[in-house]
Amino acid sequence: MNMRVSSRTIFETGMNQLSSLQSQLSRTQQQLSTGRRVLTAADDPVASARALEVTQSKEMNDQFKINRQNARASMSHVDLALGTTGDLIKDIKTLIVNAGNPAQTQKDRDALVIELEGRFNDLMAQANTADGNGNFLFSGYRLNTQPFTQTPGGAVYSGDQGLRELQAGSGRQLAISASGAEVFEGALTGNGTFETKADPANKGRGGSGVISPGSVTDITKLTGHQYTLTFSVVPATPGVPAQTSYTVLDATTGVPVTPAPVPYKSGEAISFDGIQFDVKGDVADQDVFTVEPSKQQSLFTTVRDLITAMKTAGDGPYARADLTNKLNNANQNIDNALDNVLSVRAKMGAGLKELDYLDDAGDGVDIQYQTTLSQLIEIDPVVAISMFTQQQMTLEAAQKSYKNISGLSLFNYI
């Protein structure tokens, strides 16, 4: 059975086929030019949805990378300020040692005081350091508030306890700042458990006793109480040497720790309630030494007290003993302040090191995301070029055949 095909059908069928082939060729050309297999969601709905999820995760990972860059900049500022602060504290320790030299006169100490004033001002400058954006490093959350203001007794802190944090990874937040209270006011006095002091009035009584910082001998016996050590001196009489003894009173409870006076021997250990220390030198009648629990003290208060002690020390054996007690106390507190600053700096260093690890992990995750996206939406160039060449040849053949078919007519044979 023969079927008659009209000229209109031939033209319409040929045009539709050419249009379809041209669309396919154009789409392949777009894939080659963009490098993407999936141009629209309709091309592969499942791959498109998955690619959107991966793209969002990749963009979040990119943001974490930016956060880490900002965190590194802020933490580097803090680390630099802490390093300088540590160097200044070491300079102050050197000045304390110089001030304790027996050959030093009051004029010599006055010269050291001038240097100490300079170190004090340098410490204030470090405590009030700001970053490149004008935000104070050690003010906690109060970025625009100057952390420390100088006072006659040291400095007052106007910031808060907050630690600014940044999301450095999908499951990690890092502190990028340090509180001024933690850095400059977080050190304990004395040996960290208790603090020994000489009564300033000992100087006027003619006593030259020097008390040691002491140590803990039994932590289970510690009471956390305040104690008063009072000396009694019975003057010598013909044939009888002077007798010196001491009593210890628990100033918190008012109960004597030593029911009877204990004979005093210079440098001999004095122990009670889990603590131990000694007193060296010649003590005067009614000389007093105190023991109290360690407390947090501002570095600026420590330096200011040291400056006052050196200014008012004077000369003479009793004045030197009083100064030695104050220098020992200041030296212990300065050591604690240095340890505290180094501890905070160690935290910053650990954070900077962790940023390096997070950067490496982030780069690895980024490669994984990029690989997944490539597998989902990118096209294989070899396959695409082969397809493009094939589609191009098919279109050219279709165009030639359409030209020949559309030229057929019975009038050509009349």
Side-chain angles (χ1 to χ4, degrees), residues 382-401:
V382 176
V383 174
I385 292 173
S386 300
M387 185 180 296
F388 180 80
T389 302
Q390 181 182 0
Q391 290 173 343
Q392 188 178 38
M393 293 175 61
T394 302
L395 178 59
E396 290 176 355
Q399 288 173 337
K400 289 179 180 179
S401 63

Side-chain angles (χ1 to χ4, degrees), residues 324-367:
T324 299
N325 280 309
K326 292 178 179 178
L327 289 179
N328 288 345
N329 183 264
N331 188 59
Q332 186 72 41
N333 293 341
I334 284 292
D335 278 338
N336 296 343
L338 179 59
D339 290 341
N340 184 64
V341 170
L342 293 177
S343 176
V344 177
R345 192 182 185 192
K347 294 178 184 178
M348 282 292 121
L352 287 167
K353 186 65 176 178
E354 186 173 354
L355 285 176
D356 293 335
Y357 291 127
L358 290 173
D359 277 340
D360 292 340
D363 291 342
V365 170
D366 189 69
I367 293 174

Side-chain angles (χ1 to χ4, degrees), residues 190-196 211-219 222 269-278 291 294 332:
N191 57 29
T193 302
F194 63 89
E195 180 181 21
T196 60
I211 191 169
S212 68
S215 60
V216 175
T217 57
D218 190 343
I219 194 172
L222 296 177
I270 301 173
S271 302
F272 55 87
D273 290 352
I275 65 176
Q276 179 176 292
F277 57 90
D278 63 66
V291 179
S294 296
Q332 186 72 41

Side-chain angles (χ1 to χ4, degrees), residues 121-298:
N121 293 331
D122 291 339
L123 283 173
M124 285 290 297
Q126 293 304 315
N128 291 325
T129 299
D131 61 19
N133 298 320
N135 298 323
F136 291 102
L137 297 180
F138 301 113
S139 60
Y141 294 135
R142 306 178 69 178
L143 298 178
N144 300 318
T145 300
Q146 178 175 301
F148 289 93
T149 304
Q150 186 170 340
T151 64
V156 59
Y157 181 60
S158 301
D160 57 33
Q161 307 292 329
L163 294 178
R164 299 192 294 276
E165 295 182 334
L166 270 181
Q167 192 78 27
S170 58
R172 187 69 174 101
Q173 283 188 331
L174 280 179
I176 62 171
S177 68
S179 165
E182 177 188 16
V183 176
F184 298 95
E185 298 185 332
L188 294 172
T189 56
N191 57 29
T193 302
F194 63 89
E195 180 181 21
T196 60
K197 288 184 177 181
D199 185 355
N202 291 354
K203 178 180 177 181
R205 299 186 187 102
S208 60
V210 176
I211 191 169
S212 68
S215 60
V216 175
T217 57
D218 190 343
I219 194 172
T220 62
K221 295 182 179 180
L222 296 177
T223 64
H225 294 176
Q226 295 182 349
Y227 300 92
T228 301
L229 182 71
T230 305
F231 284 85
S232 176
V233 178
V234 178
T237 58
V240 180
Q243 301 292 322
T244 303
S245 60
Y246 64 86
T247 57
V248 180
L249 175 70
D250 187 328
T252 302
T253 63
V255 177
V257 177
T258 55
V262 180
Y264 166 71
K265 183 177 180 180
S266 177
E268 189 173 74
I270 301 173
S271 302
F272 55 87
D273 290 352
I275 65 176
Q276 179 176 292
F277 57 90
D278 63 66
V279 177
K280 295 179 180 179
D282 294 327
V283 295
D285 188 43
Q286 298 304 306
D287 271 0
V288 175
F289 296 88
T290 60
V291 179
E292 59 186 41
S294 296
K295 61 182 181 297
Q296 288 186 332
Q297 179 169 292
S298 169

Side-chain angles (χ1 to χ4, degrees), residues 91-144:
D91 286 346
I92 292 173
K93 277 185 62 64
T94 300
L95 293 174
I96 292 175
V97 173
N98 292 339
N101 187 337
Q104 293 277 359
T105 65
Q106 185 57 48
K107 288 185 178 180
D108 296 326
R109 287 191 290 271
D110 289 340
L112 294 178
V113 166
I114 295 175
E115 289 191 57
L116 270 175
E117 292 282 5
R119 299 294 83 75
F120 181 92
N121 293 331
D122 291 339
L123 283 173
M124 285 290 297
Q126 293 304 315
N128 291 325
T129 299
D131 61 19
N133 298 320
N135 298 323
F136 291 102
L137 297 180
F138 301 113
S139 60
Y141 294 135
R142 306 178 69 178
L143 298 178
N144 300 318

